[in-house]
Amino acid sequence: METSPIPVVTVQTAPFEDQRPGTSGLRRKTAVFEGKKNYLQNYIQSVLSSIDLRDRQGCTMVVGSDGRYFSRAAIEVIVQMAAANGIGRLVIGHNGLLSTPAVSCIIRKIKAIGGIILTASHNPGGPGGDFGIKFNVANGGPSPDSVMERIHQVSRTLEEFAICPDLHIDLSRLGRQEFDLENKFKPFRVEIVDSVDVYLQLLRSIFDFNAIKSLLTGPNQLKIHIDAMNGVMGPYVRRILCDELGAPANSAVNCVPLEDFGGRPPEPNLTYATSLLDAMKGGDFGFGAAFDADGDRYMILGENGFFVNPADSVAIMAANLSTVPYFRQHGVKGFARSMATSTALDRVAKAMKLALYETPTGWRYFGNLMDSGRCSLCGEESFGTGSDHIREKDGLWSVLVWLSMMAARKQGVEQIVREHWAKLGRNYFCRFDYEGLEPRAAFYLMRDLEAVISDKAFASQKFAVGDHIYSVEKADNFEYIDPVDGTVARNQGLRIVFTDASRLVFRMSGSGGGTGATVRIYAETFERDPERHNRETQVVLGPLIAIALKISNIHERTGRRGPNVIT
């Protein structure tokens, strides 16, 4: 019996004023996407309409999610709207699950026009949590500013969207599903693919799996403890670290993706990954790691809970890339970091006589550098590191780099870190997050602080805290000129650099869920003397933090007594 073609319906709507994407797409409280009529549909239509009509017709797109609440319902809407808007094929992860690195990998592998990732990264999930929609472009990386601006402009004037409300797919059934649509010559195709396969093939081509397997299974077996934090990474950890590389099944915990991530924020830091920290402090494991909801961020812990600061992590990885076959084969071209990230990576670049690029926060700024062959490794202080194998930060890739280092050097995490400090010095670094601030208060705080540091008199100012005297060398609002295409990104964070290379950075985060504003304060100081490498980070940075609090008046102006999170 022949079924009739599925109708394409045009639905009238009205624009929303708050659909400008931020650092990582559009993030809002889940209730906004779920409860506001047409809010989700408007934004998906804006994303699809931002693609030139000639490119859109018959093209392939990738769709995945971190498994958070509302993802399945949103994927159904995306499928219905993609079909109505002329997309020819959608490739979707099994049960809707794909890590962000896997989406980037698949986009590049099958030469898709882009991909939609449903994630709010490390933000909480569940009906009371956050939801996000991120659009990655054809190179596999996040949308550049020009694309985000196009999406925003479409959203401001949108009057209608196209949808096939009668089209339904089964996300649990691997394989191809085809649908005939009204007034379409070719059927619309949906392919449900294994979430791990393509990404695993890529990792096999990068690393020496035999060397890592020997480390995890040999006579001097390294015992590891991996926390997937009930996000998307569970299937990847089990398949790659356990099945492929031989780690015992009980090495991996919290590997079942849950819509609310088990009721805790899926954020791999010392504040939220406390069960991992407690397990590592017991001394039974030599290596520990945790991943965020969508698998692009990670945290590394050594034996007895030794914490590897993410800014140190990228620097140490950079200094040891020769332990990874991919880099021995392709060479190392250069490094990049976000401005707020510590300058530890700069010291490695200088020692290796390689270029170092300082960019605004946001992984999209690394894409041009990698596409043009300028950069092999990049990182951000927010627990994200990646290389030119894809165009996203990649948590599991980072863990495999660490395991490769440990296998080649036959050393533990802490020994590798301390030897790096002894050789190049230690950058003491921390970040204070003030979350959920009243947006106007945060805006005026930053505006007034910029006025203070822009005053000519500030450039010669000295701050005395205890027996420390800090002399300002320069202060500015960071501006980035892309060396590839010349585009300029302004107002990317306030920074104060002192004559001893200490730094303070203040910036508003663009990755919140719409529940107030977040102001982040970063402090950094450099210590060459190995005798002074064992000090407590907060003690070392205390004088700088005191200066930051004094010149910003953040506690007085916000009514806060301290930050929500310290990393």
Side-chain angles (χ1 to χ4, degrees), residues 28-47:
R28 295 288 180 265
K29 299 304 291 181
T30 307
V32 174
F33 281 104
E34 189 177 27
K36 270 193 181 180
K37 186 181 179 185
N38 296 340
Y39 194 87
L40 170 67
Q41 290 84 345
N42 272 32
Y43 191 69
I44 297 302
Q45 185 64 60
S46 300
V47 168

Side-chain angles (χ1 to χ4, degrees), residues 477-541:
N477 190 334
F478 180 60
E479 179 177 292
Y480 177 66
I481 302 173
D482 191 304
V484 180
D485 60 21
T487 55
V488 180
R490 296 186 171 87
N491 301 314
Q492 295 299 315
L494 306 178
R495 62 178 176 176
I496 304 166
V497 181
F498 299 95
T499 52
D500 67 348
S502 295
R503 297 193 313 157
L504 285 172
V505 174
F506 303 79
R507 56 177 291 273
M508 292 255 283
S509 171
S511 59
T515 52
T518 297
V519 170
R520 295 193 166 125
I521 301 175
Y522 310 78
E524 172 186 13
T525 196
F526 177 68
E527 181 57 69
R528 165 64 72 187
D529 183 0
E531 297 294 316
R532 298 171 67 83
H533 287 170
N534 284 329
R535 302 171 69 206
E536 196 63 44
T537 298
Q538 297 300 320
V539 173
V540 174
L541 296 174

Side-chain angles (χ1 to χ4, degrees), residues 23-159:
T23 305
S24 299
L26 185 70
R27 288 187 192 169
R28 295 288 180 265
K29 299 304 291 181
T30 307
V32 174
F33 281 104
E34 189 177 27
K36 270 193 181 180
K37 186 181 179 185
N38 296 340
Y39 194 87
L40 170 67
Q41 290 84 345
N42 272 32
Y43 191 69
I44 297 302
Q45 185 64 60
S46 300
V47 168
L48 296 172
S49 296
S50 74
I51 305 168
D52 188 277
L53 186 61
R54 290 164 298 182
D55 297 329
R56 196 164 77 221
Q57 295 304 314
C59 76
T60 297
M61 287 185 72
V62 181
V63 178
S65 82
D66 62 12
R68 70 180 56 233
Y69 175 79
F70 192 59
S71 292
R72 281 178 171 264
I75 288 173
E76 180 150 89
V77 169
I78 290 166
V79 171
Q80 293 170 345
M81 294 186 67
N85 280 274
I87 305 295
R89 174 173 71 139
L90 286 184
V91 175
I92 307 175
H94 191 212
N95 293 316
L97 298 174
L98 278 177
S99 72
T100 290
V103 171
S104 182
C105 170
I106 294 171
I107 290 171
R108 294 170 65 80
K109 172 89 172 175
I110 67 175
K111 296 181 168 53
I113 199 165
I116 294 174
I117 309 170
L118 304 179
T119 179
S121 189
H122 53 283
N123 291 21
D130 294 342
F131 193 79
I133 302 173
K134 184 174 158 182
F135 178 56
N136 280 26
V137 292
N139 75 346
S143 298
D145 289 344
S146 56
V147 173
M148 292 202 297
E149 184 57 32
R150 221 160 42 235
I151 293 169
H152 180 229
Q153 290 307 326
V154 173
S155 78
R156 293 179 63 194
T157 56
L158 195 70
E159 294 180 345

Side-chain angles (χ1 to χ4, degrees), residues 2 4 12 67 69 118 140 146 148-149 167 203 263 265 288-289 310 313 330 354 398 456 497 514 540 546:
E2 194 172 316
S4 55
Q12 301 303 304
Y69 175 79
L118 304 179
S146 56
M148 292 202 297
E149 184 57 32
L167 195 161
L203 293 183
S313 182
H330 295 279
L354 291 171
S398 302
K456 282 184 181 174
V497 181
V540 174

Side-chain angles (χ1 to χ4, degrees), residues 269-550:
N269 60 28
L270 297 176
T271 302
Y272 295 114
T274 49
S275 59
L276 172 68
L277 181 61
D278 291 343
M280 293 303 296
K281 280 180 175 176
D284 294 333
F285 304 101
F287 180 89
F291 301 105
D292 72 343
D294 62 322
D296 60 355
R297 300 173 197 246
Y298 68 102
M299 178 175 70
I300 302 289
L301 296 176
E303 194 171 357
N304 302 315
F306 180 85
F307 171 65
V308 183
N309 185 287
D312 275 339
S313 182
V314 65
I316 293 165
M317 290 161 72
N320 289 275
L321 287 181
S322 61
T323 63
V324 179
Y326 175 89
F327 295 103
R328 292 202 297 272
Q329 183 182 345
H330 295 279
V332 180
K333 305 174 187 86
F335 303 131
R337 62 165 176 83
S338 63
M339 181 273 285
T341 300
S342 95
T343 56
L345 184 61
D346 306 38
R347 298 179 192 283
V348 178
K350 186 177 180 182
M352 295 176 68
K353 297 182 169 58
L354 291 171
L356 185 285
Y357 299 90
E358 186 178 37
T359 71
T361 295
W363 208 259
R364 62 191 183 277
Y365 294 106
F366 296 133
N368 268 1
L369 297 173
M370 291 189 282
D371 287 347
S372 63
R374 285 170 163 82
C375 175
S376 295
L377 178 83
C378 39
E380 295 187 329
E381 46 67 38
S382 54
F383 296 85
T385 310
S387 88
D388 57 359
H389 68 293
I390 55 172
R391 295 296 180 268
E392 277 285 3
K393 44 189 178 278
D394 190 341
L396 186 50
W397 173 91
S398 302
V399 163
L400 294 183
V401 173
W402 268 94
L403 293 175
S404 299
M405 283 193 279
M406 296 172 75
R409 295 181 53 159
K410 297 179 170 51
Q411 293 176 315
V413 172
E414 183 171 354
Q415 191 177 354
I416 290 172
V417 173
R418 292 197 180 281
E419 283 193 10
H420 181 86
W421 290 342
K423 185 176 178 183
L424 293 176
R426 179 177 181 183
N427 289 71
Y428 284 95
F429 178 84
C430 77
R431 183 181 99 187
F432 282 22
D433 290 5
Y434 292 85
E435 300 171 340
L437 300 178
E438 201 280 310
R440 282 172 60 85
F443 170 80
Y444 286 118
L445 183 151
M446 292 295 288
R447 187 197 67 176
D448 294 348
L449 180 58
E450 182 173 7
V452 169
I453 72 166
S454 301
D455 190 289
K456 282 184 181 174
F458 190 80
S460 57
Q461 193 149 343
K462 288 180 168 59
F463 293 92
V465 184
D467 58 351
H468 297 266
I469 295 178
Y470 294 90
S471 301
V472 176
E473 185 174 278
K474 74 169 183 177
D476 62 7
N477 190 334
F478 180 60
E479 179 177 292
Y480 177 66
I481 302 173
D482 191 304
V484 180
D485 60 21
T487 55
V488 180
R490 296 186 171 87
N491 301 314
Q492 295 299 315
L494 306 178
R495 62 178 176 176
I496 304 166
V497 181
F498 299 95
T499 52
D500 67 348
S502 295
R503 297 193 313 157
L504 285 172
V505 174
F506 303 79
R507 56 177 291 273
M508 292 255 283
S509 171
S511 59
T515 52
T518 297
V519 170
R520 295 193 166 125
I521 301 175
Y522 310 78
E524 172 186 13
T525 196
F526 177 68
E527 181 57 69
R528 165 64 72 187
D529 183 0
E531 297 294 316
R532 298 171 67 83
H533 287 170
N534 284 329
R535 302 171 69 206
E536 196 63 44
T537 298
Q538 297 300 320
V539 173
V540 174
L541 296 174
L544 277 172
I545 297 295
I547 295 169
L549 299 180
K550 180 182 177 182

